Amino acid sequence: MKTPWALDLYNSLSTKQKNRFNAFVESPYFNTNVRLTNGFRHMVLHQHQELSSLKVGIYQEMFPAVEYSDVRLRLFFSELLELLKTFLWVDRQQHNTSDKTLCLLRHLRRTQRIDYFERLASNFKMELKKNIRWDPSKFLHVHQLEMEILSYESFKNRFTHFDFKDCTDYLEIATFIQRLRIHLEQLSQEAIGRPVQKDVLIDQWLSLASKEEWMQYPEIKVYRLAISIIQQPEQEQIFAEFLKLLQQYESDFDFEYGRELYVTALNYGIRKINQNRTDFFRVTLDLFQHCIERSWILDYGIMSSLTFKNIIVLCIRMQDLELAEVLLERYKPLVDQKDRNMIYQFCLAKIKKERGEHDQALYLLNTSFFKDPLIELNARVEMIKIYYENDELEWMNNQLSATRNLIKRSKKLGYHREYYINFLAMAQWLMSTFSIEASTLEKKQREIQEDKKLIEKSWLYQMVSRLPLQRRGKMAVKR
Protein backbone atom coordinates (compact mmCIF):
# COMPACT_ATOMS: atom_id res chain seq x y z
CA MET A 1 0.00 0.00 0.00
CA LYS A 2 1.40 3.37 -1.04
CA THR A 3 2.03 5.88 1.75
CA PRO A 4 0.01 9.12 1.24
CA TRP A 5 2.20 12.04 0.26
CA ALA A 6 0.98 14.15 3.20
CA LEU A 7 2.03 11.45 5.68
CA ASP A 8 5.40 11.04 3.99
CA LEU A 9 5.96 14.81 4.04
CA TYR A 10 5.00 15.01 7.73
CA ASN A 11 7.48 12.26 8.58
CA SER A 12 10.23 14.20 6.76
CA LEU A 13 9.93 17.11 9.23
CA SER A 14 12.38 17.46 12.09
CA THR A 15 11.11 16.92 15.64
CA LYS A 16 10.97 20.68 16.24
CA GLN A 17 9.11 21.24 12.96
CA LYS A 18 6.61 18.52 13.87
CA ASN A 19 5.92 20.19 17.21
CA ARG A 20 5.36 23.53 15.48
CA PHE A 21 3.12 21.94 12.85
CA ASN A 22 1.06 20.18 15.53
CA ALA A 23 0.39 23.58 17.13
CA PHE A 24 -0.28 25.03 13.65
CA VAL A 25 -3.04 22.48 12.98
CA GLU A 26 -4.61 23.18 16.38
CA SER A 27 -4.68 26.93 15.66
CA PRO A 28 -8.19 28.08 14.64
CA TYR A 29 -6.66 30.87 12.56
CA PHE A 30 -5.14 28.35 10.12
CA ASN A 31 -7.51 25.43 10.55
CA THR A 32 -11.20 25.38 11.52
CA ASN A 33 -11.91 21.84 10.33
CA VAL A 34 -12.62 19.92 13.55
CA ARG A 35 -12.77 16.54 11.81
CA LEU A 36 -9.39 17.10 10.19
CA THR A 37 -7.96 18.06 13.61
CA ASN A 38 -9.34 14.88 15.18
CA GLY A 39 -7.97 12.73 12.37
CA PHE A 40 -4.60 14.42 12.57
CA ARG A 41 -4.36 13.86 16.34
CA HIS A 42 -4.95 10.14 15.80
CA MET A 43 -2.35 10.07 13.00
CA VAL A 44 0.29 11.64 15.26
CA LEU A 45 -0.41 9.27 18.16
CA HIS A 46 -0.44 6.11 16.01
CA GLN A 47 1.88 7.05 13.12
CA HIS A 48 4.01 3.91 13.59
CA GLN A 49 1.05 1.59 13.02
CA GLU A 50 0.71 -0.46 9.87
CA LEU A 51 -0.73 1.86 7.19
CA SER A 52 -4.07 0.11 6.66
CA SER A 53 -4.79 0.09 10.41
CA LEU A 54 -3.73 3.72 10.69
CA LYS A 55 -6.10 4.79 7.92
CA VAL A 56 -9.04 2.96 9.52
CA GLY A 57 -8.25 4.58 12.89
CA ILE A 58 -8.08 8.06 11.36
CA TYR A 59 -11.42 7.54 9.62
CA GLN A 60 -13.11 6.35 12.81
CA GLU A 61 -11.90 9.44 14.67
CA MET A 62 -13.28 11.67 11.93
CA PHE A 63 -16.54 9.82 11.23
CA PRO A 64 -17.57 7.66 14.22
CA ALA A 65 -20.13 4.95 13.38
CA VAL A 66 -20.00 5.83 9.66
CA GLU A 67 -19.08 3.21 7.05
CA TYR A 68 -15.48 3.53 5.84
CA SER A 69 -15.00 5.54 2.64
CA ASP A 70 -11.60 5.77 0.99
CA VAL A 71 -12.72 8.89 -0.91
CA ARG A 72 -13.26 10.79 2.35
CA LEU A 73 -9.90 9.65 3.66
CA ARG A 74 -8.14 10.82 0.48
CA LEU A 75 -9.79 14.19 1.00
CA PHE A 76 -8.38 14.27 4.56
CA PHE A 77 -4.82 13.69 3.30
CA SER A 78 -5.32 16.26 0.53
CA GLU A 79 -6.41 18.93 3.04
CA LEU A 80 -3.55 17.95 5.36
CA LEU A 81 -1.12 18.40 2.47
CA GLU A 82 -2.40 21.94 1.89
CA LEU A 83 -1.90 22.73 5.57
CA LEU A 84 1.66 21.37 5.39
CA LYS A 85 2.44 23.57 2.38
CA THR A 86 1.06 26.63 4.17
CA PHE A 87 2.98 25.76 7.32
CA LEU A 88 6.31 25.36 5.52
CA TRP A 89 5.85 28.75 3.86
CA VAL A 90 4.83 30.50 7.11
CA ASP A 91 7.59 28.75 9.06
CA ARG A 92 10.18 30.11 6.67
CA GLN A 93 8.72 33.58 6.13
CA GLN A 94 8.20 34.41 9.78
CA HIS A 95 11.97 34.74 10.18
CA ASN A 96 12.32 37.06 7.18
CA THR A 97 12.27 40.53 8.73
CA SER A 98 12.74 42.37 5.43
CA ASP A 99 9.76 40.65 3.77
CA LYS A 100 7.60 41.45 6.78
CA THR A 101 8.63 45.12 6.64
CA LEU A 102 7.86 45.28 2.91
CA CYS A 103 4.47 43.71 3.55
CA LEU A 104 3.73 46.32 6.21
CA LEU A 105 4.82 49.14 3.88
CA ARG A 106 2.50 47.82 1.18
CA HIS A 107 -0.36 47.81 3.67
CA LEU A 108 0.41 51.35 4.87
CA ARG A 109 0.56 52.63 1.30
CA ARG A 110 -2.73 51.03 0.29
CA THR A 111 -4.50 52.25 3.42
CA GLN A 112 -2.95 55.73 2.96
CA ARG A 113 -1.24 55.86 6.35
CA ILE A 114 1.10 58.53 4.98
CA ASP A 115 3.12 59.46 8.07
CA TYR A 116 3.71 55.87 9.06
CA PHE A 117 4.67 54.92 5.50
CA GLU A 118 7.17 57.76 5.03
CA ARG A 119 8.84 57.17 8.38
CA LEU A 120 9.10 53.40 7.95
CA ALA A 121 10.27 53.63 4.31
CA SER A 122 13.02 56.10 5.25
CA ASN A 123 14.25 53.99 8.17
CA PHE A 124 14.09 50.74 6.20
CA LYS A 125 16.02 52.24 3.26
CA MET A 126 18.73 53.46 5.61
CA GLU A 127 18.87 50.02 7.26
CA LEU A 128 19.28 48.22 3.93
CA LYS A 129 21.98 50.61 2.71
CA LYS A 130 23.93 50.11 5.95
CA ASN A 131 23.73 46.33 5.69
CA ILE A 132 27.34 45.18 5.20
CA ARG A 133 26.60 41.48 5.71
CA TRP A 134 26.96 39.06 2.81
CA ASP A 135 23.30 38.96 1.81
CA PRO A 136 22.27 38.43 -1.85
CA SER A 137 18.60 38.99 -0.96
CA LYS A 138 19.18 42.60 0.15
CA PHE A 139 19.46 43.83 -3.46
CA LEU A 140 16.00 42.55 -4.33
CA HIS A 141 14.66 44.05 -1.10
CA VAL A 142 16.07 47.47 -2.03
CA HIS A 143 14.45 47.16 -5.47
CA GLN A 144 11.10 46.21 -3.93
CA LEU A 145 11.35 49.10 -1.49
CA GLU A 146 12.05 51.53 -4.33
CA MET A 147 9.02 50.19 -6.20
CA GLU A 148 6.86 50.82 -3.12
CA ILE A 149 8.20 54.35 -2.85
CA LEU A 150 7.57 54.87 -6.58
CA SER A 151 3.97 53.71 -6.24
CA TYR A 152 3.52 55.99 -3.23
CA GLU A 153 5.06 59.02 -4.95
CA SER A 154 2.94 58.46 -8.07
CA PHE A 155 -0.21 58.36 -5.95
CA LYS A 156 0.84 61.39 -3.92
CA ASN A 157 1.77 63.55 -6.92
CA ARG A 158 2.08 62.09 -10.39
CA PHE A 159 4.33 65.00 -11.47
CA THR A 160 6.92 64.26 -8.77
CA HIS A 161 10.40 63.54 -10.18
CA PHE A 162 11.60 60.02 -9.36
CA ASP A 163 15.17 58.76 -9.79
CA PHE A 164 14.89 55.26 -11.27
CA LYS A 165 18.61 54.45 -11.00
CA ASP A 166 18.50 52.66 -7.64
CA CYS A 167 15.36 50.82 -8.62
CA THR A 168 16.87 49.41 -11.81
CA ASP A 169 20.47 48.96 -10.57
CA TYR A 170 19.54 46.82 -7.61
CA LEU A 171 17.20 44.69 -9.71
CA GLU A 172 20.06 44.05 -12.15
CA ILE A 173 22.41 43.10 -9.31
CA ALA A 174 19.85 40.71 -7.78
CA THR A 175 19.22 39.11 -11.18
CA PHE A 176 22.92 38.97 -12.00
CA ILE A 177 23.78 37.07 -8.82
CA GLN A 178 21.26 34.39 -9.80
CA ARG A 179 22.73 34.26 -13.32
CA LEU A 180 26.17 33.65 -11.82
CA ARG A 181 24.79 30.88 -9.61
CA ILE A 182 23.20 29.18 -12.61
CA HIS A 183 26.43 29.46 -14.63
CA LEU A 184 28.44 28.02 -11.74
CA GLU A 185 26.11 25.01 -11.66
CA GLN A 186 26.42 24.64 -15.45
CA LEU A 187 30.22 24.57 -15.21
CA SER A 188 30.01 21.98 -12.41
CA GLN A 189 27.76 19.80 -14.58
CA GLU A 190 30.14 20.14 -17.54
CA ALA A 191 33.05 19.04 -15.33
CA ILE A 192 31.41 15.65 -14.80
CA GLY A 193 30.57 15.24 -18.48
CA ARG A 194 26.94 16.30 -18.55
CA PRO A 195 25.97 18.31 -21.66
CA VAL A 196 24.51 21.74 -20.89
CA GLN A 197 23.20 24.50 -23.11
CA LYS A 198 25.33 27.62 -22.76
CA ASP A 199 23.72 31.00 -22.13
CA VAL A 200 24.62 33.04 -25.23
CA LEU A 201 24.90 36.22 -23.13
CA ILE A 202 27.00 34.76 -20.31
CA ASP A 203 30.34 36.04 -21.64
CA GLN A 204 28.97 39.58 -21.68
CA TRP A 205 27.65 39.16 -18.14
CA LEU A 206 31.00 37.79 -16.92
CA SER A 207 32.81 40.69 -18.54
CA LEU A 208 30.46 43.07 -16.77
CA ALA A 209 31.02 41.26 -13.45
CA SER A 210 34.76 41.84 -13.72
CA LYS A 211 34.36 45.61 -13.73
CA GLU A 212 35.43 47.37 -10.57
CA GLU A 213 32.03 48.88 -9.74
CA TRP A 214 30.43 45.41 -9.72
CA MET A 215 33.27 43.62 -7.94
CA GLN A 216 32.83 45.94 -4.96
CA TYR A 217 29.87 43.79 -3.97
CA PRO A 218 31.15 40.65 -2.18
CA GLU A 219 28.00 38.76 -3.23
CA ILE A 220 29.07 39.19 -6.88
CA LYS A 221 32.81 38.86 -6.27
CA VAL A 222 32.60 35.50 -4.51
CA TYR A 223 30.63 33.95 -7.41
CA ARG A 224 32.88 35.55 -10.01
CA LEU A 225 35.88 33.97 -8.26
CA ALA A 226 34.08 30.61 -7.96
CA ILE A 227 33.57 30.61 -11.73
CA SER A 228 37.16 31.71 -12.35
CA ILE A 229 38.72 28.80 -10.40
CA ILE A 230 36.87 26.41 -12.71
CA GLN A 231 37.71 28.29 -15.91
CA GLN A 232 41.30 29.17 -14.92
CA PRO A 233 42.45 26.37 -12.56
CA GLU A 234 46.11 27.22 -13.13
CA GLN A 235 45.61 30.65 -11.48
CA GLU A 236 45.97 29.41 -7.91
CA GLN A 237 46.04 32.91 -6.43
CA ILE A 238 42.36 33.15 -7.41
CA PHE A 239 41.63 30.05 -5.34
CA ALA A 240 43.45 31.58 -2.36
CA GLU A 241 41.39 34.78 -2.70
CA PHE A 242 38.21 32.72 -3.02
CA LEU A 243 38.96 30.81 0.21
CA LYS A 244 39.70 34.07 2.01
CA LEU A 245 36.29 35.46 1.01
CA LEU A 246 34.52 32.27 2.10
CA GLN A 247 36.12 32.49 5.52
CA GLN A 248 35.29 36.18 5.79
CA TYR A 249 31.57 35.85 5.02
CA GLU A 250 30.82 32.25 6.04
CA SER A 251 28.81 33.25 9.10
CA ASP A 252 26.30 34.97 6.80
CA PHE A 253 25.78 31.98 4.44
CA ASP A 254 22.57 30.00 4.54
CA PHE A 255 22.79 26.28 3.74
CA GLU A 256 22.22 26.59 -0.02
CA TYR A 257 24.83 29.30 -0.57
CA GLY A 258 27.35 27.73 1.80
CA ARG A 259 27.01 24.32 0.23
CA GLU A 260 27.44 25.36 -3.40
CA LEU A 261 30.42 27.62 -2.65
CA TYR A 262 32.30 25.18 -0.41
CA VAL A 263 31.63 22.26 -2.76
CA THR A 264 33.18 24.37 -5.53
CA ALA A 265 36.28 24.86 -3.37
CA LEU A 266 36.44 21.14 -2.54
CA ASN A 267 36.13 20.11 -6.19
CA TYR A 268 39.01 22.43 -7.06
CA GLY A 269 41.20 20.76 -4.43
CA ILE A 270 40.19 17.28 -5.59
CA ARG A 271 41.07 18.10 -9.20
CA LYS A 272 44.49 19.35 -8.07
CA ILE A 273 45.04 16.16 -6.07
CA ASN A 274 44.10 14.09 -9.14
CA GLN A 275 46.99 15.90 -10.86
CA ASN A 276 49.23 14.65 -8.00
CA ARG A 277 49.59 18.07 -6.40
CA THR A 278 50.68 16.92 -2.95
CA ASP A 279 50.67 20.51 -1.66
CA PHE A 280 46.86 20.39 -1.91
CA PHE A 281 46.50 17.34 0.36
CA ARG A 282 46.32 19.19 3.68
CA VAL A 283 44.25 22.17 2.49
CA THR A 284 41.68 19.82 0.93
CA LEU A 285 41.47 17.59 4.01
CA ASP A 286 41.03 20.69 6.18
CA LEU A 287 38.22 21.83 3.87
CA PHE A 288 36.52 18.43 4.13
CA GLN A 289 36.62 18.45 7.92
CA HIS A 290 35.47 22.07 8.12
CA CYS A 291 32.53 21.37 5.77
CA ILE A 292 31.48 18.38 7.87
CA GLU A 293 31.71 20.40 11.07
CA ARG A 294 29.54 23.16 9.55
CA SER A 295 27.30 20.61 7.73
CA TRP A 296 27.91 22.22 4.33
CA ILE A 297 28.39 18.80 2.67
CA LEU A 298 25.85 16.90 4.76
CA ASP A 299 22.27 16.45 3.57
CA TYR A 300 20.16 16.58 6.74
CA GLY A 301 23.14 15.19 8.65
CA ILE A 302 23.88 12.47 6.05
CA MET A 303 27.28 12.16 4.34
CA SER A 304 27.51 10.76 0.80
CA SER A 305 29.52 7.58 0.32
CA LEU A 306 31.77 9.37 -2.22
CA THR A 307 32.67 12.08 0.31
CA PHE A 308 33.46 9.41 2.92
CA LYS A 309 35.70 7.59 0.45
CA ASN A 310 37.50 10.77 -0.66
CA ILE A 311 38.38 11.66 2.93
CA ILE A 312 39.83 8.24 3.79
CA VAL A 313 41.73 7.99 0.49
CA LEU A 314 43.18 11.44 1.06
CA CYS A 315 44.50 10.38 4.49
CA ILE A 316 46.07 7.31 2.88
CA ARG A 317 47.73 9.41 0.19
CA MET A 318 49.11 11.61 2.98
CA GLN A 319 50.57 8.35 4.41
CA ASP A 320 48.70 8.90 7.67
CA LEU A 321 47.03 5.52 8.19
CA GLU A 322 46.33 6.23 11.86
CA LEU A 323 44.29 9.32 10.92
CA ALA A 324 42.57 7.29 8.18
CA GLU A 325 41.45 4.71 10.74
CA VAL A 326 40.29 7.40 13.18
CA LEU A 327 38.19 9.19 10.54
CA LEU A 328 36.93 5.85 9.18
CA GLU A 329 35.22 5.16 12.50
CA ARG A 330 34.33 8.79 13.30
CA TYR A 331 32.48 9.45 10.05
CA LYS A 332 30.99 5.99 9.46
CA PRO A 333 27.76 6.79 11.41
CA LEU A 334 27.20 9.86 9.18
CA VAL A 335 27.05 7.83 5.95
CA ASP A 336 23.64 6.93 4.53
CA GLN A 337 22.68 3.60 6.07
CA LYS A 338 21.97 1.91 2.73
CA ASP A 339 25.55 2.59 1.53
CA ARG A 340 27.36 2.53 4.87
CA ASN A 341 28.67 -1.03 5.06
CA MET A 342 29.65 -1.12 1.38
CA ILE A 343 31.78 2.04 1.43
CA TYR A 344 33.16 1.22 4.89
CA GLN A 345 34.44 -2.13 3.59
CA PHE A 346 36.00 -0.48 0.54
CA CYS A 347 37.86 2.09 2.66
CA LEU A 348 38.91 -0.56 5.18
CA ALA A 349 40.23 -2.65 2.26
CA LYS A 350 42.39 0.28 1.10
CA ILE A 351 43.84 0.67 4.59
CA LYS A 352 44.49 -3.09 4.80
CA LYS A 353 46.23 -2.97 1.43
CA GLU A 354 48.48 -0.10 2.54
CA ARG A 355 49.39 -2.07 5.67
CA GLY A 356 50.42 -5.02 3.48
CA GLU A 357 47.44 -7.20 4.52
CA HIS A 358 46.62 -8.10 0.92
CA ASP A 359 44.53 -11.22 1.51
CA GLN A 360 42.17 -9.38 3.83
CA ALA A 361 41.98 -6.45 1.40
CA LEU A 362 41.10 -8.73 -1.55
CA TYR A 363 38.46 -10.52 0.51
CA LEU A 364 36.75 -7.22 1.36
CA LEU A 365 36.90 -5.99 -2.25
CA ASN A 366 35.62 -9.25 -3.77
CA THR A 367 32.75 -9.74 -1.33
CA SER A 368 31.27 -6.22 -1.61
CA PHE A 369 28.72 -4.92 -4.10
CA PHE A 370 29.44 -1.34 -5.23
CA LYS A 371 26.48 0.53 -6.71
CA ASP A 372 28.41 3.72 -7.50
CA PRO A 373 30.43 3.25 -10.75
CA LEU A 374 33.29 5.44 -9.49
CA ILE A 375 33.64 3.41 -6.31
CA GLU A 376 33.41 0.21 -8.34
CA LEU A 377 36.29 1.48 -10.50
CA ASN A 378 38.30 2.39 -7.42
CA ALA A 379 37.80 -1.12 -6.05
CA ARG A 380 39.03 -2.64 -9.30
CA VAL A 381 42.08 -0.38 -9.33
CA GLU A 382 42.95 -1.60 -5.82
CA MET A 383 42.69 -5.22 -6.98
CA ILE A 384 44.92 -4.48 -9.99
CA LYS A 385 47.54 -2.97 -7.70
CA ILE A 386 47.43 -5.92 -5.30
CA TYR A 387 47.67 -8.49 -8.10
CA TYR A 388 50.71 -6.70 -9.55
CA GLU A 389 52.50 -6.41 -6.22
CA ASN A 390 51.93 -10.13 -5.61
CA ASP A 391 53.01 -11.23 -9.11
CA GLU A 392 49.50 -12.52 -9.89
CA LEU A 393 49.83 -11.34 -13.49
CA GLU A 394 47.12 -13.57 -14.96
CA TRP A 395 44.60 -12.27 -12.42
CA MET A 396 45.83 -8.76 -13.11
CA ASN A 397 45.34 -9.18 -16.84
CA ASN A 398 41.77 -10.45 -16.34
CA GLN A 399 40.97 -7.49 -14.09
CA LEU A 400 42.39 -5.02 -16.60
CA SER A 401 40.08 -6.39 -19.31
CA ALA A 402 37.05 -6.39 -17.02
CA THR A 403 37.74 -2.81 -15.91
CA ARG A 404 38.03 -1.59 -19.52
CA ASN A 405 34.64 -3.11 -20.25
CA LEU A 406 33.14 -1.44 -17.18
CA ILE A 407 34.42 1.96 -18.35
CA LYS A 408 32.92 1.42 -21.80
CA ARG A 409 29.51 0.56 -20.29
CA SER A 410 29.37 3.40 -17.78
CA LYS A 411 27.90 6.68 -19.07
CA LYS A 412 28.33 8.77 -15.91
CA LEU A 413 32.08 9.00 -15.39
CA GLY A 414 32.60 12.51 -16.81
CA TYR A 415 36.18 13.75 -16.74
CA HIS A 416 37.13 10.78 -14.52
CA ARG A 417 36.97 8.46 -17.56
CA GLU A 418 40.24 9.69 -19.06
CA TYR A 419 42.08 9.39 -15.73
CA TYR A 420 41.12 5.70 -15.38
CA ILE A 421 41.84 4.85 -19.02
CA ASN A 422 45.32 6.34 -18.65
CA PHE A 423 45.91 4.33 -15.48
CA LEU A 424 44.87 1.09 -17.21
CA ALA A 425 47.26 1.82 -20.09
CA MET A 426 50.15 2.39 -17.69
CA ALA A 427 49.24 -0.71 -15.66
CA GLN A 428 49.18 -2.75 -18.88
CA TRP A 429 52.66 -1.51 -19.73
CA LEU A 430 53.87 -2.39 -16.23
CA MET A 431 52.44 -5.89 -16.48
CA SER A 432 54.31 -6.61 -19.73
CA THR A 433 57.63 -4.99 -18.76
CA PHE A 434 60.17 -7.05 -16.80
CA SER A 435 63.38 -5.10 -17.23
CA ILE A 436 64.14 -1.56 -18.24
CA GLU A 437 67.12 0.53 -19.29
CA ALA A 438 68.13 3.49 -17.13
CA SER A 439 67.30 6.04 -19.85
CA THR A 440 63.87 4.49 -20.42
CA LEU A 441 63.27 4.40 -16.67
CA GLU A 442 63.89 8.14 -16.34
CA LYS A 443 61.68 8.85 -19.36
CA LYS A 444 58.83 6.78 -17.92
CA GLN A 445 59.12 8.41 -14.50
CA ARG A 446 58.99 11.84 -16.13
CA GLU A 447 55.97 10.78 -18.19
CA ILE A 448 54.09 9.73 -15.04
CA GLN A 449 54.98 12.94 -13.20
CA GLU A 450 53.94 15.21 -16.07
CA ASP A 451 50.65 13.46 -16.95
CA LYS A 452 47.94 15.65 -15.40
CA LYS A 453 45.18 13.17 -16.17
CA LEU A 454 46.41 10.06 -14.41
CA ILE A 455 45.35 8.50 -11.10
CA GLU A 456 47.59 6.57 -8.67
CA LYS A 457 50.67 8.44 -9.88
CA SER A 458 52.64 7.80 -6.70
CA TRP A 459 52.03 4.05 -6.89
CA LEU A 460 52.89 3.89 -10.61
CA TYR A 461 56.08 5.89 -10.07
CA GLN A 462 57.10 3.58 -7.24
CA MET A 463 56.44 0.42 -9.27
CA VAL A 464 58.33 1.73 -12.30
CA SER A 465 61.27 2.64 -10.03
CA ARG A 466 61.45 -0.99 -8.83
CA LEU A 467 61.55 -2.53 -12.30
CA PRO A 468 65.34 -2.98 -12.72
CA LEU A 469 65.68 -4.60 -9.29
CA GLN A 470 62.57 -6.72 -8.95
CA ARG A 471 61.21 -7.57 -12.39
CA ARG A 472 64.32 -8.40 -14.44
CA GLY A 473 64.23 -11.71 -16.26
CA LYS A 474 60.62 -12.63 -15.54
CA MET A 475 58.46 -13.87 -18.37
CA ALA A 476 55.48 -11.93 -19.60
CA VAL A 477 52.02 -13.35 -19.22
CA LYS A 478 50.69 -14.96 -22.40
CA ARG A 479 47.51 -13.36 -23.58
Side-chain angles (χ1 to χ4, degrees):
M1 186 179 295
K2 188 176 180 181
T3 303
W5 189 15
L7 180 57
D8 205 25
L9 181 57
Y10 176 77
N11 288 331
S12 72
L13 301 179
S14 67
T15 302
K16 290 182 178 180
Q17 283 179 314
K18 285 181 179 179
N19 291 336
R20 292 198 296 272
F21 181 65
N22 295 350
F24 183 89
V25 173
E26 297 286 347
S27 168
Y29 180 80
F30 294 105
N31 173 38
T32 57
N33 187 333
V34 177
R35 283 179 173 169
L36 185 144
T37 304
N38 292 338
F40 175 72
R41 287 172 182 165
H42 182 89
M43 187 191 87
V44 171
L45 290 173
H46 302 88
Q47 59 184 297
H48 300 298
Q49 276 188 345
E50 193 270 328
L51 183 57
S52 58
S53 301
L54 177 63
K55 291 172 74 173
V56 171
I58 292 172
Y59 189 86
Q60 289 174 349
E61 285 292 331
M62 294 174 65
F63 304 100
V66 177
E67 185 179 356
Y68 179 84
S69 168
D70 198 56
V71 173
R72 283 179 170 176
L73 199 62
R74 286 201 300 269
L75 180 60
F76 160 77
F77 284 116
S78 177
E79 291 174 343
L80 184 62
L81 180 61
E82 289 301 314
L83 278 176
L84 276 161
K85 288 192 286 186
T86 304
F87 163 75
L88 289 171
W89 184 83
V90 171
D91 197 47
R92 178 177 179 179
Q93 290 299 110
Q94 67 178 333
H95 303 296
N96 194 323
T97 304
S98 294
D99 279 349
K100 287 192 285 188
T101 303
L102 285 166
C103 184
L104 176 56
L105 279 169
R106 194 169 297 115
H107 173 78
L108 293 174
R109 174 177 59 80
R110 290 174 178 174
T111 56
Q112 301 182 34
R113 298 299 192 269
I114 305 302
D115 291 342
Y116 291 127
F117 177 89
E118 290 181 347
R119 190 159 59 245
L120 181 60
S122 176
N123 292 338
F124 187 42
K125 188 171 185 177
M126 190 180 305
E127 178 186 322
L128 288 173
K129 292 293 181 68
K130 287 182 177 179
N131 182 6
I132 60 173
R133 294 174 58 250
W134 192 90
D135 181 10
S137 65
K138 68 185 176 187
F139 302 104
L140 183 58
H141 288 145
V142 174
H143 164 72
Q144 291 171 328
L145 172 60
E146 292 293 334
M147 289 299 295
E148 286 299 323
I149 295 173
L150 172 61
S151 298
Y152 165 72
E153 295 287 355
S154 299
F155 168 79
K156 184 179 178 181
N157 182 353
R158 68 191 191 92
F159 297 107
T160 300
H161 171 72
F162 186 81
D163 186 358
F164 288 89
K165 189 176 188 308
D166 277 354
C167 191
T168 54
D169 282 357
Y170 282 101
L171 178 61
E172 286 182 3
I173 294 171
T175 304
F176 184 49
I177 292 170
Q178 298 309 312
R179 279 182 173 268
L180 291 178
R181 293 183 72 190
I182 292 170
H183 188 55
L184 179 62
E185 180 61 27
Q186 287 177 323
L187 292 175
S188 300
Q189 296 291 323
E190 286 179 355
I192 58 175
R194 292 181 182 174
V196 297
Q197 186 172 354
K198 185 179 179 181
D199 183 348
V200 294
L201 297 176
I202 193 60
D203 290 335
Q204 297 176 35
W205 281 101
L206 292 176
S207 176
L208 182 63
S210 300
K211 293 184 177 179
E212 187 175 347
E213 61 267 29
W214 286 74
M215 290 290 275
Q216 67 175 308
Y217 301 110
E219 294 85 355
I220 289 180
K221 187 174 182 178
V222 72
Y223 276 101
R224 187 65 188 93
L225 293 176
I227 289 168
S228 295
I229 65 173
I230 297 177
Q231 294 180 325
Q232 302 169 275
E234 71 285 353
Q235 301 293 326
E236 293 173 9
Q237 75 278 5
I238 299 178
F239 178 66
E241 188 178 1
F242 178 60
L243 281 186
K244 186 177 179 181
L245 273 181
L246 293 189
Q247 293 163 2
Q248 182 178 351
Y249 295 105
E250 180 178 19
S251 60
D252 296 328
F253 295 162
D254 66 10
F255 176 75
E256 299 300 332
Y257 286 111
R259 179 185 179 88
E260 67 188 10
L261 292 170
Y262 269 101
V263 166
T264 301
L266 275 170
N267 286 339
Y268 181 87
I270 291 169
R271 278 191 282 271
K272 288 293 183 180
I273 288 171
N274 287 341
Q275 295 168 6
N276 209 38
R277 288 289 303 276
T278 57
D279 51 325
F280 273 84
F281 285 179
R282 173 50 64 179
V283 67
T284 305
L285 181 60
D286 289 345
L287 270 173
F288 268 122
Q289 293 186 282
H290 177 78
C291 288
I292 293 168
E293 181 183 336
R294 295 297 300 270
S295 296
W296 295 132
I297 55 175
L298 303 181
D299 290 320
Y300 300 101
I302 302 298
M303 180 188 294
S304 75
S305 56
L306 193 58
T307 296
F308 183 74
K309 185 268 296 183
N310 284 340
I311 292 170
I312 305 305
V313 170
L314 183 50
C315 292
I316 293 172
R317 293 190 67 176
M318 293 169 66
Q319 299 181 344
D320 194 340
L321 297 184
E322 287 74 20
L323 179 59
E325 290 173 335
V326 168
L327 297 184
L328 182 75
E329 301 300 331
R330 179 185 299 171
Y331 294 147
K332 179 184 177 182
L334 297 177
V335 180
D336 193 339
Q337 191 170 2
K338 69 179 187 298
D339 299 324
R340 186 179 300 160
N341 289 334
M342 172 268 296
I343 194 62
Y344 177 84
Q345 284 192 302
F346 168 77
C347 292
L348 182 59
K350 283 192 70 72
I351 295 173
K352 295 286 187 186
K353 187 266 176 190
E354 292 302 315
R355 291 200 180 281
E357 300 169 10
H358 289 174
D359 288 343
Q360 293 183 48
L362 281 173
Y363 175 79
L364 289 167
L365 293 169
N366 279 309
T367 56
S368 300
F369 172 69
F370 304 106
K371 292 179 285 186
D372 187 304
L374 278 177
I375 296 175
E376 170 74 13
L377 278 175
N378 275 271
R380 290 171 180 268
V381 165
E382 289 304 307
M383 287 190 275
I384 289 169
K385 288 160 59 180
I386 292 172
Y387 291 142
Y388 181 79
E389 291 181 29
N390 287 281
D391 264 349
E392 299 283 356
L393 297 186
E394 186 173 354
W395 284 101
M396 179 182 178
N397 187 52
N398 292 339
Q399 190 56 251
L400 285 169
S401 299
T403 306
R404 287 194 194 93
N405 291 332
L406 176 64
I407 291 174
K408 288 179 183 178
R409 293 196 307 269
S410 182
K411 307 297 182 184
K412 299 181 179 181
L413 297 179
Y415 73 91
H416 299 281
R417 182 184 303 275
E418 190 173 356
Y419 287 85
Y420 285 96
I421 289 174
N422 291 344
F423 170 80
L424 294 180
M426 188 63 70
Q428 186 78 46
W429 178 87
L430 262 179
M431 186 186 70
S432 57
T433 303
F434 304 106
S435 62
I436 192 170
E437 296 179 358
S439 59
T440 307
L441 172 65
E442 292 177 4
K443 181 180 177 182
K444 209 67 181 176
Q445 288 173 330
R446 189 165 55 251
E447 180 183 331
I448 292 170
Q449 287 178 323
E450 293 176 356
D451 192 340
K452 295 183 178 180
K453 295 185 177 181
L454 179 65
I455 61 168
E456 299 291 347
K457 295 173 75 167
S458 298
W459 181 83
L460 289 168
Y461 188 94
Q462 186 181 26
M463 294 302 108
V464 170
S465 300
R466 292 179 182 176
L467 277 174
L469 299 176
Q470 297 184 10
R471 306 295 297 169
R472 187 182 300 276
K474 294 194 177 181
M475 297 185 65
V477 62
K478 294 181 179 181
R479 298 185 297 281

